[in-house]
C-alpha cells in the first residue's frame, strides 16, 4: 500500500526566532563578526526535520514587513512587541539566501502573516491528498491541525520535535484545534497583544468552550453565565469578537500551492556549498552528503564527487541539472599496509630509519591514557599530501586478525622513537606519548602536535579534533570512530574491531595528520606564532605528561572523616530550613523550593523559567537579604556540593595501581591560552570557604619525608595591566611594593593610605579586578552591593586616577575592531568576531573580551614559560611538579632540598618574563596542600 505524499511547511520567522534566542549566548558569528546564530539554528532544525520526516514536498513561509489586515482592524495588534534585535534583522536577508540555495520555494505575501500563508497552503495541499506537517515555534498553528495536518514544535532550543495531532492539541490545551481561535478570543494572547475579555483567564475560557463550543454559541447563551464572569462577557462582547477575528488564521489568502514547485529538488551543490562556506557552517557542509541522501525515499547514497544524480537515478526526489559538480568532499586514496609479520616489521623499520620524519598514532581500548590497553600502532611517512603518504598499521591486541608481539615491536621501534633528530608528528601527542610510555616505549624530541598548531592558528575554534580539522582544512570526510565501535551502552572497544577494519581507519588518521602539518606550518609562520609553538607549547607537552603520570597522593582517610562531618552539617542545615519553612520538603527540588519561597513565604519572583519561578544561585543571592531561609539554602547547597563533588567523589578516582589521583591537563581548550584540568578537575578545588580549604588537606606528598610546596604569582594580572598600560600611578605602586588595592582605595576615596579601611580596600580590590575583566557599572554594583550610580562614580574616579588604563581599553577595543583579534605579550592571538556585532549585548561582550584576553592570556603564557624553564632544572633535585592551578604551581619536594628548590622556583617564576614592574611570587610549604596555602 502506497503512502500519501507529504508536505512539510516551515514557519521561517518563528523558527529563526527560536534558533536566534537559543544560540544567542553562544555568540554564533563569522570571523569578521557577521551574526549567524538564527541562520545556523534554522538550517539545522530544517535538515533534521527533513531527515526524520522524509517529506515529498517542502516550502518555507516568511512574514513581510508590511502591515497585515489585523493591524488595520486593531492598531494595537503586536504593538507592545520590542523592536527586533539588529543582529536578528541582519540575518533575515541572508537566511532567505540560504533557503534559496537549497532550492526550497519561499512563500510570503504583503498584508498577510506567515501563519495565513501556511494555513492556506495546508488547506490546499490537504485537498490534493497530501499529509501536511507544519514546523513552527508558534502554538497559534494548533488551530490548523486536522486528521491530515499536524504541527511540530522544536523542544529545548534546536533539539527534538514534539508532534501535535488533534488528540495532542486537546490534551495540551483543553480544547480542540478548531476552538483555538475561540480560546484566544476569550482569554486573549499577550504575545500578540490580543486583548480578549478582561478578567477571563485560560481556565475560565476552557470551561466556557467545553460547555458552549464556540464564542458565537456562548454569546447566544450568555444570559446563562452568572456572576462577575457573565457581567464581563456581556460588557465586552465586541472585544471578544474582535479578538476572535485577530486570532483566526486566514486559510484563504491569495496564494496557490504548487506541488511541482515544492517538490524536493537536488540543489546546485556548488552554489549551496559556497553559500554555506560564506557563513562558515563547516559542520553542516560536512554532513551534506548524508543529509541530502537522507531525503531520498529509497535511501540512495549521494556521491561525494562527480556529477549530481538525475531524477532517473533517484526518482521522485532529485530533479535538478545533471551537470553540477559536487564539491562537498574529496576522496582519500590511501593504501595501508598491515604489518602482520616480523619480516614486514623489519622492512618498516628500515624505511623509518631512512625517513627524516614520521607520523604516529595509537589505537587503544579506552580514552584514559593511564589505564587503557594498547591495541595497535599506526605510522606514516612520505610526501606532504595524505595520498602520498606510506601508511602502516601494526596490530597488537585485536581479538580478530593477526597480531604482533609487543615486546618484539617495541624493541624494533625503540631506536626510531629515541632518535631526537628525527621529527615526529602526532595529533594530540600527549595522549599517544602517555600510552606508549606506559607500554615501555621511550620517545625523545618534541613531537609536532597538529592539534596544538591548529589551536594557535584558530584559537576561536571550539574543537580541534582530527576529523573536524580534516574536513575544515583538507576537505576529507573521514570515518568516525563510532562507525567502528558504536556508541552508548552497546559500544565495543577497538580490540574487538577486526584488523582489516581498524587498519584503514588508523592509517587514514596518520596520513591526514601528516598533511595537516603541511597545511598548518606555514600558517603558524604567517601569524608569527612559530616561536610560541616551538618554545612554549611544544616543550610543555612532556612536562604535562610527566605531571599527569606522577599524579598526587590523596589522604582518603581524612576525606572519610570530612564526609562524616559534612553529613552532620547538611543534616543540621536541613532541619533548620524545615523549621524556617514550617514544613518538610525536598530542598533539592527547584519546584518544591519555589513553592516554599514564593507562594508560602511570599518572596518576590526575580526570574522565571519554562517550569516556573527560578531558584538558581543568582536569584537566591539577590534574595538573601529578604529572608534567613534563603541564606540557609545557599549554605546547604554549598555543603552538598562540597560533599558530593569532592569529598565523596575524589577517593573513587584514585588509581589502584599508583594510589594517586591523576588529572589530565588540556592545552587546547581555553582560547586565552590557560591550561584546564579534567577527570578530575583539580584546578577547581574550593578555597574561599574554610570547609572548602579543608579539602586541600587531603592532598599530601607521596612519601613521609617530603613536603608540598606552593608558589603563587601575586596579582600577576594587575602587574601585566600596569605593564601594558604604563600608567604612572600603577607602575609606581608596584615598584614601591605597595598594596595595590589599598593604593586604589586611597585614589578613588580620596584619602591617605593610612586612612584606608578594610571595607574601602575590599571595594577597591573588586574595582581593580572588575576593570581587568571589563566589568560594567551594573556588574560592579551587583558585586559590591551598591547602586549603579555609586558604581558608575567608582569607575569614573578610577579612570580619572588611572588614565593610562582607560587609554589602553580604548586603544585595544579600536585595534580589535580593525583586525578582529587581540594578542598577548607573547603574540598569542585571540579572535573576537563578537566585537563588530550589531547586537549591543554581544558587542559589549566582545569588548570586555578584548580588554581581558591580552591580560589573562599573558598571565597564562608567563606561568607556562616558568614551567618550561623549571622542568629541566628540577631533575637535579628530589622534587617534582605536581599541579598548575591558574597562577599557582604545586610541587612535591624532599625536606633536604626545600631551600634550593624554593630559590630555584622563585628565580625562574619571577624572571620568566621581563615586565615594567617586578613579578612577585608567594611561596609556602607544609605537610599538605592546605598547609602550603
Amino acid at each position: 500500500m502506497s503512502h500519501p505524499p507529504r508536505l512539510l511547511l516551515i514557519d521561517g520567522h518563528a523558527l529563526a526566532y527560536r534558533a536566534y534566542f537559543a544560540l544567542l549566548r553562544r555568540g554564533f558569528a563569522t570571523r569578521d563578526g557577521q551574526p549567524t546564530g538564527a541562520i545556523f539554528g534554522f538550517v539545522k532544525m530544517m535538515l533534521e526535520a527533513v531527515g526524520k520526516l522524509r517529506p515529498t514536498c517542502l516550502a518555507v513561509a516568511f512574514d513581510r514587513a508590511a502591515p497585515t489586515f489585523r493591524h488595520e482592524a486593531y492598531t494595537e495588534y503586536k504593538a507592545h512587541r520590542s523592536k527586533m534585535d539588529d543582529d536578528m534583522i541582519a540575518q533575515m536577508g541572508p537566511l532567505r539566501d540560504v533557503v534559496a540555495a537549497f532550492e526550497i520555494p519561499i512563500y510570503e505575501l504583503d498584508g498577510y502573516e506567515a501563519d495565513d500563508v501556511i494555513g492556506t497552503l495546508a488547506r490546499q495541499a490537504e485537498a490534493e491528498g497530501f499529509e501536511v506537517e507544519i514546523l513552527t515555534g508558534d502554538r497559534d498553528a494548533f488551530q490548523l491541525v486536522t486528521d491530515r495536518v499536524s504541527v511540530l514544535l522544536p523542544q529545548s532550543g534546536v533539539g527534538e520535535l514534539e508532534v501535535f495531532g488533534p488528540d495532542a492539541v486537546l490534551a495540551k490545551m483543553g480544547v480542540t484545534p478548531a476552538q483555538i481561535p475561540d480560546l484566544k478570543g476569550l482569554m486573549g494572547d499577550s504575545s500578540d497583544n490580543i486583548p480578549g475579555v478582561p478578567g477571563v483567564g485560560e481556565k475560565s475560557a476552557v470551561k466556557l468552550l467545553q460547555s458552549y463550543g464556540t464564542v458565537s454559541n456562548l454569546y447566544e447563551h450568555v444570559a446563562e453565565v452568572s456572576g462577575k464572569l457573565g457581567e464581563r462577557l456581556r460588557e465586552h462582547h465586541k472585544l471578544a469578537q474582535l479578538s476572535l477575528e485577530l486570532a483566526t488564521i486566514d486559510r484563504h489568502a491569495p496564494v496557490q500551492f504548487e506541488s511541482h514547485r515544492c517538490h524536493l529538488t537536488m540543489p546546485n551543490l556548488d552554489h549551496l556549498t559556497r553559500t554555506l562556506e560564506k557563513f562558515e557552517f563547516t559542520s553542516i557542509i560536512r554532513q551534506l552528503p548524508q543529509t541530502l541522501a537522507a531525503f531520498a525515499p529509497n535511501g540512495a547514497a549521494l556521491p561525494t564527487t562527480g556529477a549530481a544524480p538525475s531524477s532517473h537515478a533517484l526518482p521522485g526526489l532529485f530533479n535538478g541539472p545533471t551537470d553540477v559538480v559536487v564539491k562537498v568532499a574529496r576522496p582519500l586514496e590511501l593504501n595501508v599496509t598491515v604489518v602482520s609479520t616480523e619480516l614486514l616489521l623489519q622492512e618498516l623499520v628500515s624505511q623509518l630509519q631512512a625517513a627524516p620524519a614520521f607520523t604516529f598514532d595509537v589505537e587503544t581500548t579506552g580514552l584514559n591514557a593511564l589505564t587503557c590497553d594498547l591495541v595497535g600502532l599506526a605510522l606514516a611517512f612520505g610526501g606532504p599530501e595524505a595520498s602520498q603518504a606510506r601508511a602502516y598499521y601494526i596490530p597488537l591486541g585485536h581479538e580478530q586478525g593477526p597480531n604482533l608481539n609487543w615486546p618484539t615491536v617495541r624493541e624494533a621501534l625503540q631506536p626510531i622513537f629515541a632518535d631526537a633528530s628525527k621529527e615526529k608528528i602526532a595529533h594530540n601527542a600527549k595522549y599517544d606519548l602517555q600510552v606508549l610510555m606506559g607500554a615501555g616505549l621511550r620517545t625523545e624530541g618534541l613531537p609536532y602536535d597538529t592539534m596544538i598548531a591548529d589551536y594557535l592558528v584558530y584559537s576561536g575554534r571550539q574543537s580541534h579534533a582530527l576529523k573536524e580539522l580534516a574536513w575544515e582544512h583538507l576537505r576529507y570526510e573521514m570515518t568516525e570512530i563510532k562507525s567502528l565501535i558504536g556508541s552508548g551502552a552497546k559500544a565495543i572497544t577497538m580490540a574487538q574491531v577486526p584488523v582489516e577494519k581498524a587498519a584503514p581507519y588508523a592509517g587514514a588518521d596518520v596520513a591526514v595528520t601528516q598533511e595537516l602539518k603541511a597545511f598548518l606550518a606555514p600558517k603558524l609562520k604567517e601569524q608569527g606564532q612559530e616561536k610560541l609553538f616551538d618554545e612554549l607549547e611544544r616543550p610543555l607537552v612532556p612536562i604535562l605528561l610527566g605531571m599527569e603520570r606522577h599524579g598526587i597522593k590523596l589522604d582518603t582517610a581524612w576525606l572519610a572523616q570530612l564526609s562524616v562531618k559534612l553529613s552532620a552539617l547538611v543534616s543540621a542545615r536541613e532541619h533548620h530550613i524545615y523549621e524556617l519553612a514550617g514544613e518538610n520538603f525536598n530542598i533539592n527540588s527547584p519546584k518544591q523550593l519555589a513553592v516554599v519561597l514564593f507562594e508560602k513565604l511570599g518572596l518576590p519572583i526575580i526570574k522565571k523559567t519554562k517550569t516556573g519561578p527560578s531558584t538558581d544561585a543568582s536569584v537566591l543571592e539577590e534574595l538573601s537579604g529578604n529572608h534567613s531561609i534563603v541564606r540557609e539554602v545557599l549554605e546547604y547547597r554549598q555543603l552538598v556540593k562540597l560533599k558530593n563533588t569532592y569529598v565523596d567523589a575524589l577517593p573513587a578516582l584514585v588509581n589502584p595501581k599508583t594510589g594517586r589521583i591523576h588529572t589530565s591537563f588540556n592545552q587546547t581548550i581555553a582560547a586565552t591560552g590557560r591550561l584546564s584540568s579534567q577527570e578530575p578537575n583539580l584546578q577547581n578545588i574550593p578555597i574561599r570557604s574554610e570547609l572548602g580549604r579543608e579539602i586541600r588537606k587531603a592532598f599530601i606528598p607521596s612519601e613521609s619525608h617530603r613536603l608540598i610546596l606552593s608558589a603563587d604569582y601575586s596579582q600577576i594580572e594587575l602587574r601585566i595591566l600596569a605593564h601594558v598600560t604604563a600608567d604612572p600611578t600603577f607602575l609606581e605602586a608596584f615598584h614601591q611594593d605597595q598594596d595595590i588595592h589599598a593604593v586604589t582605595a586611597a585614589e578613588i576615596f580620596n584619602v591617605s593610605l593610612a586612612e584606608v579601611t578594610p571595607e574601602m580596600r575590599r571595594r577597591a580590590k573588586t574595582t581593580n579586578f572588575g576593570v581587568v575583566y571589563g566589568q560594567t557599572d551594573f556588574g560592579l554594583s551587583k558585586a559590591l552591593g551598591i547602586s549603579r550610580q555609586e558604581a558608575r562614580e567608582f569607575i569614573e574616579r578610577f579612570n580619572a586616577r588611572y588614565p593610562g588604563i582607560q587609554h589602553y581599553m580604548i586603544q585595544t577595543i579600536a585595534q580589535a575592531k580593525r583586525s578582529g583579534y587581540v594578542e598577548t605579550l607573547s603574540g598569542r592571538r585571540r579572535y573576537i568576531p563578537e566585537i563588530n556585532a550589531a547586537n549591543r549585548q554581544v558587542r559589549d561582550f566582545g569588548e570586555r573580551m578584548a580588554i581581558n584576553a591580552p591580560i589573562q592570556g599573558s598571565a597564562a603564557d608567563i606561568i607556562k614559560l616558568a614551567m618550561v624553564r623549571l622542568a629541566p632544572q628540577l631533575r637535579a633535585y628530589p622534587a617534582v611538579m605536581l599541579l598548575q592551578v591558574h597562577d599557582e604551581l604545586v610541587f612535591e619536594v624532599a625536606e633536604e632540598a626545600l631551600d634550593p628548590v624554593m630559590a630555584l622556583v622563585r628565580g625562574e617564576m619571577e624572571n620568566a618574563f621581563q615586565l615594567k614592574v617586578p613579578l612577585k611570587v608567594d611561596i609556602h610549604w607544609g605537610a599538605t596542600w592546605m598547609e602550603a596555602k
Side-chain angles (χ1 to χ4, degrees):
M1 181 177 177
S2 62
H3 295 284
R6 304 175 75 181
L7 167 64
L8 175 61
L9 293 171
I10 298 177
D11 186 336
H13 268 90
L15 220 61
Y17 256 104
R18 176 175 285 269
Y20 176 70
F21 287 106
L23 302 176
L24 178 62
R25 291 187 179 275
R26 293 171 62 182
F28 268 73
T30 59
R31 291 186 180 91
D32 61 5
Q34 181 180 356
T36 59
I39 307 171
F40 179 84
F42 177 96
V43 174
K44 287 287 287 184
M45 284 189 280
M46 179 186 74
L47 293 179
E48 287 173 9
V50 170
K52 290 175 182 177
L53 303 173
R54 303 293 180 91
T56 313
C57 293
L58 174 64
V60 178
F62 283 105
D63 291 322
R64 283 279 183 89
T68 68
F69 64 88
R70 295 179 180 87
H71 295 91
E72 295 174 2
Y74 183 57
T75 56
E76 296 301 307
Y77 179 68
K78 294 187 177 181
H80 73 301
R81 285 193 177 181
S82 57
K83 180 178 175 291
M84 186 188 295
D85 284 358
D86 290 340
D87 276 2
M88 181 69 183
I89 294 172
Q91 295 181 69
M92 294 314 297
L95 174 57
R96 285 174 167 83
D97 294 340
V98 172
V99 173
F102 275 98
E103 299 185 14
I104 298 168
I106 293 174
Y107 286 85
E108 50 190 342
L109 197 62
D110 280 346
Y112 294 86
E113 295 182 50
D115 281 349
D116 303 311
V117 173
I118 287 172
T120 301
L121 296 175
R123 177 185 60 80
Q124 294 171 351
E126 184 180 13
E128 291 185 22
F130 278 80
E131 288 187 352
V132 182
E133 287 148 324
I134 300 169
L135 178 58
T136 179
D138 191 347
R139 293 183 182 181
D140 288 349
F142 281 172
Q143 63 186 277
L144 301 176
V145 170
T146 69
D147 289 338
R148 297 177 68 89
V149 177
S150 57
V151 167
L152 315 175
L153 293 183
Q155 301 301 300
S156 63
V158 294
E160 293 297 315
L161 298 175
E162 188 172 3
V163 182
F164 288 90
D167 292 341
V169 172
L170 179 60
K172 183 78 172 179
M173 306 300 294
V175 297
T176 66
Q179 291 175 306
I180 294 294
D182 297 273
L183 181 66
K184 297 287 182 73
L186 293 173
M187 63 177 281
D189 185 344
S190 59
S191 65
D192 289 339
N193 208 31
I194 296 175
V197 176
V200 176
E202 183 175 2
K203 289 183 179 179
S204 297
V206 169
K207 286 183 180 178
L208 288 169
L209 292 175
Q210 287 174 345
S211 299
Y212 296 99
T214 66
V215 168
S216 176
N217 191 49
L218 167 63
Y219 273 98
E220 289 180 10
H221 301 83
V222 73
E224 300 172 8
V225 184
S226 61
K228 288 187 177 180
L229 179 59
E231 291 176 11
R232 293 189 185 112
L233 288 171
R234 286 185 284 274
E235 181 182 354
H236 299 289
H237 185 183
K238 289 184 178 180
L239 206 55
Q241 189 59 42
L242 172 64
S243 299
L244 170 61
E245 292 171 4
L246 293 174
T248 302
I249 292 175
D250 187 346
R251 303 191 203 192
H252 294 83
V255 64
Q256 184 61 47
F257 169 66
E258 298 172 302
S259 60
H260 67 277
R261 180 186 174 202
C262 299
H263 208 273
L264 277 177
T265 301
M266 175 65 175
N268 182 317
L269 291 182
D270 188 38
H271 173 60
L272 175 59
T273 303
R274 285 199 307 270
T275 302
L276 295 174
E277 282 177 339
K278 184 170 68 174
F279 300 108
E280 300 172 11
F281 292 161
T282 304
S283 61
I284 293 176
I285 297 171
R286 284 184 63 194
Q287 297 301 317
L288 276 182
Q290 296 91 330
T291 301
L292 296 180
F295 290 4
N298 61 2
L302 176 70
T304 56
T305 187
S310 68
S311 58
H312 298 292
L314 294 174
L317 175 67
F318 297 121
N319 302 315
T322 59
D323 58 347
V324 177
V325 176
V326 181
K327 295 183 178 178
V328 175
R330 60 187 180 120
L332 176 57
E333 298 175 356
L334 184 69
N335 292 318
V336 181
T337 301
V338 177
V339 183
S340 56
T341 67
E342 290 190 26
L343 179 60
L344 287 172
L345 177 63
Q346 291 305 317
E347 291 177 2
L348 171 60
V349 168
S350 297
Q351 294 182 71
L352 286 171
Q353 287 171 337
F358 68 91
T359 306
F360 66 98
D361 180 56
V362 298
E363 298 300 335
T364 63
T365 55
L367 298 177
N368 188 319
L370 292 172
T371 59
C372 65
D373 294 324
L374 181 60
V375 174
L377 177 62
L379 299 152
F381 51 90
E385 293 280 335
S387 58
Q388 299 168 345
R390 303 179 68 177
Y392 295 81
Y393 183 66
I394 307 174
L396 300 165
H398 289 272
E399 295 177 7
Q400 300 178 51
N403 291 292
L404 284 185
N405 179 269
W406 170 241
T408 302
V409 174
R410 181 178 57 205
E411 183 180 356
L413 293 179
Q414 184 59 81
I416 307 295
F417 277 81
D419 185 353
S421 67
K422 195 178 294 292
E423 184 177 49
K424 303 162 190 72
I425 307 163
H427 192 84
N428 191 13
K430 179 161 65 69
Y431 176 86
D432 297 284
L433 293 174
Q434 192 75 273
V435 171
L436 292 176
M437 183 178 291
L441 183 64
R442 188 182 78 260
T443 304
E444 298 294 339
L446 300 175
Y448 191 106
D449 192 329
T450 51
M451 185 170 74
I452 295 175
D454 190 78
Y455 167 69
L456 291 179
V457 175
Y458 301 99
S459 62
R461 195 190 305 282
Q462 291 185 334
S463 170
H464 303 275
L466 177 63
K467 305 297 190 291
E468 292 189 21
L469 302 191
W471 171 260
E472 174 72 16
H473 301 321
L474 310 176
R475 283 297 185 264
Y476 289 134
E477 182 66 39
M478 299 183 69
T479 301
E480 296 289 345
I481 185 66
K482 65 182 180 182
S483 67
L484 292 181
I485 67 172
S487 59
K490 295 183 179 180
I492 61 176
T493 70
M494 202 64 173
Q496 295 168 283
V497 176
V499 171
E500 65 267 20
K501 290 186 177 180
Y505 173 86
D509 278 359
V510 284
V512 169
T513 298
Q514 189 161 286
E515 186 170 344
L516 268 179
K517 191 257 184 180
F519 173 85
L520 290 167
K523 296 192 177 298
L524 279 172
K525 187 174 183 179
E526 288 169 16
Q527 292 188 6
Q529 306 227 36
E530 277 185 314
K531 184 177 181 181
L532 188 66
F533 180 67
D534 290 327
E535 298 181 13
L536 185 63
E537 296 293 354
R538 283 179 77 176
L540 197 61
V541 171
I543 296 170
L544 296 177
L545 186 152
M547 293 164 66
E548 292 176 2
R549 192 158 194 82
H550 185 277
I552 186 168
K553 192 173 180 181
L554 201 67
D555 186 344
T556 54
W558 162 249
L559 287 178
Q561 293 177 37
L562 189 56
S563 180
V564 172
K565 179 180 178 180
L566 285 171
S567 292
L569 290 171
V570 168
S571 179
R573 196 73 66 176
E574 277 180 347
H575 286 94
H576 192 200
I577 291 170
Y578 296 155
E579 289 174 4
L580 292 170
E583 64 175 276
N584 290 9
F585 66 99
N586 183 357
I587 304 170
N588 299 314
S589 166
K591 188 173 183 180
Q592 292 187 35
L593 178 60
V595 170
V596 170
L597 296 182
F598 306 116
E599 295 183 18
K600 184 170 185 178
L601 300 179
L603 297 182
I605 295 173
I606 306 297
K607 183 171 65 176
K608 284 188 174 182
T609 67
K610 291 180 179 179
T611 57
S614 171
T615 58
D616 66 20
S618 64
V619 168
L620 295 188
E621 289 287 352
E622 194 164 340
L623 291 172
S624 60
N626 293 51
H627 198 291
S628 58
I629 193 174
V630 180
R631 294 190 295 275
E632 291 294 313
V633 170
L634 285 169
E635 287 292 331
Y636 167 84
R637 285 183 175 179
Q638 182 63 23
L639 291 171
V640 170
K641 180 179 180 180
L642 288 175
K643 186 176 186 299
N644 295 343
T645 306
Y646 302 106
V647 176
D648 293 344
L650 285 173
L653 299 174
V654 172
N655 187 310
K657 293 182 181 178
T658 65
R660 300 173 190 167
I661 288 276
H662 299 268
T663 188
S664 177
F665 290 100
N666 301 310
Q667 275 179 272
T668 61
I669 299 296
T672 57
R674 275 192 167 190
L675 295 174
S676 63
S677 164
Q678 67 181 42
E679 297 179 348
N681 181 357
L682 297 184
Q683 293 183 333
N684 207 29
I685 304 296
I687 59 171
R688 295 188 183 277
S689 67
E690 185 61 36
L691 282 169
R693 285 190 290 273
E694 286 195 34
I695 295 173
R696 294 193 173 207
K697 191 175 179 180
F699 292 85
I700 58 177
S702 58
E703 298 176 33
S704 59
H705 65 284
R706 294 193 165 211
L707 298 167
I708 298 294
L709 184 148
S710 168
D712 197 352
Y713 276 114
S714 172
Q715 299 172 343
I716 186 171
E717 292 186 5
L718 293 179
R719 292 172 189 269
I720 293 168
L721 183 66
H723 173 84
V724 298
T725 64
D727 185 90
T729 308
F730 243 49
L731 291 174
E732 181 65 17
F734 282 120
H735 278 299
Q736 296 299 322
D737 199 21
Q738 294 175 324
D739 181 344
I740 191 64
H741 302 313
V743 170
T744 298
E747 294 287 342
I748 63 178
F749 288 106
N750 198 25
V751 297
S752 68
L753 275 173
E755 294 175 296
V756 172
T757 66
E759 176 60 19
M760 287 178 179
R761 185 185 183 278
R762 183 187 73 82
R763 292 189 173 193
K765 180 179 180 180
T766 303
T767 304
N768 278 335
F769 284 110
V771 168
V772 175
Y773 296 115
Q775 200 168 44
T776 63
D777 56 359
F778 176 73
L780 186 61
S781 70
K782 292 194 71 175
L784 292 177
I786 59 178
S787 69
R788 288 189 70 173
Q789 178 61 34
E790 288 179 284
R792 192 176 301 115
E793 290 172 1
F794 262 54
I795 293 174
E796 287 172 356
R797 277 179 282 182
F798 184 96
N799 290 335
R801 296 292 184 177
Y802 301 125
I805 295 177
Q806 188 178 31
H807 177 72
Y808 159 77
M809 292 179 175
I810 294 171
Q811 189 178 45
T812 301
I813 290 171
Q815 183 271 322
K817 285 181 180 292
R818 287 193 304 270
S819 65
Y821 63 86
V822 291
E823 289 185 325
T824 68
L825 296 175
S826 300
R828 182 188 303 275
R829 287 188 181 182
R830 172 72 185 271
Y831 287 90
I832 309 177
E834 298 90 344
I835 202 161
N836 289 311
N839 180 278
R840 182 175 178 179
Q841 181 183 358
V842 177
R843 187 171 64 251
D844 287 349
F845 171 75
E847 291 180 359
R848 291 194 298 271
M849 194 188 304
I851 294 168
N852 171 246
I855 308 297
Q856 193 177 83
S858 294
D861 290 345
I862 288 172
I863 200 166
K864 284 180 176 180
L865 281 167
M867 294 170 72
V868 169
R869 294 182 181 185
L870 273 169
Q873 298 181 70
L874 280 175
R875 296 178 193 140
Y877 301 94
V880 63
M881 199 182 304
L882 298 177
L883 297 173
Q884 189 264 21
V885 183
H886 306 313
D887 302 331
E888 175 190 10
L889 292 178
V890 181
F891 305 84
E892 180 181 301
V893 187
E895 290 180 8
E896 67 273 14
L898 184 61
D899 289 338
V901 169
M902 277 199 302
L904 172 65
V905 169
R906 186 182 300 279
E908 290 300 340
M909 289 184 71
E910 291 187 345
N911 292 287
F913 200 95
Q914 296 305 307
L915 300 178
K916 294 171 185 174
V917 297
L919 286 170
K920 183 180 178 182
V921 175
D922 295 325
I923 297 182
H924 303 278
W925 67 92
T928 70
W929 190 9
M930 179 183 172
E931 290 183 22
K933 288 296 288 182

